[in-house]
Amino acid sequence: MTKRIRKAVFPVAGLGTRFLPATKAVPKEMLTVVDRPVLQHVVDEAREAGIEHFVFVTGRNKGVIEDHFDIAYELEDTLRRRNKTKEYEALVADLPPAGATSFTRQQAPLGLGHAVWCARDIIGDEPFAVLLPDMVTLANGRKKSRCLAQVVEAYEKHGGNIIAVEEVPPEETHQYGVVAVGEDYGDSFSITGMVEKPPRGTAPSNLMISGRYILEPEIFAILEKGEKGAGGEIQLTDAMIGLSKAQDFYGVRFDGKTYDTGSKLGFLAANIAFGLARPDVAEGLRAELKKLL
Ligand code: UTP
């Protein structure tokens, strides 16, 4: 029987250089998609998948993230006194329960693998989820859940380590971590290889690692070595390649759409897609888009 996935790591210590100057003073995870910070969308997705404890790996200038997931006494009191009940209740509903968040510091942005390793003591000896907080996912098709719930479902079926993947055009695979496909079970498959940013024309498939994972705690011993990979950074993909020599990895083809809000185009596309999926703004947005196009 598989263990329950209770904890999730959100690595939010990156510099966001692709989105300067917006990210000079504001963490890129706090930019908004419609009216919610990107990170709030990702925490919503984790809650929907049954996550109970949220571990944020932060860095300097990210204090506003901690404030966002805490009560805002003055604001809440003012909303109550002005009878803005709907707004007040929405804020309270978003708040994680007391004690359900942990914050740790990465100190220097040495890479995604290093950020995940910084959460080792808080995670302890149990399988856990990792969600890249600049990737937002939108459910569609026959499954109504977002990506992490589909990943948890695959974990309950296979056990081991699970990675969400999404198809990209073959000429773009050199920008991503890419997996090789073994035995295929339809929605999921066994992974026979992984490579981070393969040189053009050498990728084993067009399935990119899209930013949702379930990992067994043995990953921490590999990350502890601090080996540097692509871009001189401690890469999570390299540690997963190491762990795959001893443990099984499975891929999940996410039935939905993922947007990389860390890139300008992905951010704009996410705002349009999420806006069109929101009943309160969809009609007006569609009319505005028609005028523009
Ligand atoms: P990215 O490479 O997309 O984020 O990492 P970045 O480095 O902030 O962005 P650019 O490329 O400079 O624009 C994916 C996620 O991993 C986190 C980032 O915050 C982001 O959410 N990350 C990355 C860390 O927490 N620490 C790191 O050392 C690197």
Side-chain angles (χ1 to χ4, degrees):
M1 217 180 84
T2 55
K3 291 189 181 158
R4 204 154 57 82
I5 305 298
R6 300 186 307 128
K7 298 181 185 175
V9 177
F10 302 79
V12 287
L15 298 177
T17 55
R18 283 173 295 160
F19 228 126
L20 283 167
T23 49
K24 189 176 168 193
V26 177
K28 70 172 173 181
E29 299 81 6
M30 293 306 289
L31 300 178
T32 58
V33 169
V34 191
D35 54 2
R36 296 170 85 67
V38 169
L39 184 56
Q40 180 74 62
H41 284 285
V42 180
V43 166
D44 294 345
E45 178 183 333
R47 288 179 95 167
E48 177 187 289
I51 297 298
E52 294 165 2
H53 196 101
F54 308 85
V55 183
F56 299 92
V57 181
T58 72
R60 276 182 293 283
N61 297 330
K62 304 269 182 170
V64 67
I65 293 177
E66 205 160 333
D67 293 341
H68 180 78
F69 291 104
D70 198 356
I71 60 164
Y73 178 75
E74 279 176 30
L75 173 64
E76 290 172 18
D77 188 49
T78 308
L79 291 175
R80 263 195 311 257
R81 275 190 288 111
R82 292 188 185 166
N83 291 325
K84 291 194 174 275
T85 315
K86 214 172 93 206
E87 288 81 358
Y88 169 73
E89 283 174 355
L91 277 190
V92 172
D94 282 345
L95 201 63
T101 53
S102 295
F103 295 84
T104 185
R105 288 269 185 138
Q106 192 187 8
Q107 296 173 335
L110 301 180
L112 175 60
H114 182 260
V116 171
W117 178 71
C118 290
R120 65 199 178 279
D121 286 342
I122 304 170
I123 296 297
D125 190 24
E126 59 182 277
F128 62 101
V130 176
L131 297 96
L132 295 199
D134 47 2
M135 306 297 272
V136 289
T137 76
L138 202 54
N140 70 3
R142 73 204 153 74
K143 293 205 176 164
K144 291 287 170 234
S145 58
R146 282 175 274 190
C147 190
L148 190 66
Q150 295 182 27
V151 170
V152 168
E153 203 179 295
Y155 173 78
E156 283 162 357
K157 182 171 159 193
H158 298 293
N161 301 269
I162 315 282
I163 302 175
V165 298
E166 212 168 308
E167 278 189 24
V168 289
E171 63 276 12
E172 289 178 15
T173 48
H174 65 282
Q175 302 171 35
Y176 304 106
V178 179
V179 300
V181 180
E183 195 170 342
D184 210 320
Y185 310 100
D187 288 351
S188 58
F189 57 89
S190 71
I191 292 177
T192 54
M194 286 172 257
V195 54
E196 183 61 39
K197 299 192 175 63
R200 280 173 196 274
T202 65
S205 75
N206 67 337
L207 295 175
M208 68 128 176
I209 299 176
S210 68
R212 301 291 184 262
Y213 316 75
I214 286 174
L215 297 170
E216 296 288 341
E218 288 75 18
I219 195 84
F220 291 125
I222 299 173
L223 288 169
E224 175 109 26
K225 294 179 197 154
E227 284 168 12
K228 291 185 178 154
E233 295 195 344
I234 301 168
Q235 297 283 357
L236 184 61
T237 307
D238 292 341
M240 294 194 299
I241 292 168
L243 186 58
S244 69
K245 292 179 186 133
Q247 294 189 6
D248 291 335
F249 274 73
Y250 298 90
V252 177
R253 294 184 184 88
F254 170 47
D255 187 4
K257 184 85 183 97
T258 305
Y259 296 91
D260 177 5
T261 63
S263 80
K264 294 177 189 69
L265 213 52
F267 177 79
L268 294 171
N271 268 289
I272 294 170
F274 277 68
L276 291 173
R278 274 268 299 260
D280 56 336
V281 291
E283 204 184 313
L285 177 59
R286 204 169 281 118
E288 289 295 335
L289 288 172
K290 265 196 192 136
K291 275 191 248 165
L292 286 169
L293 298 170

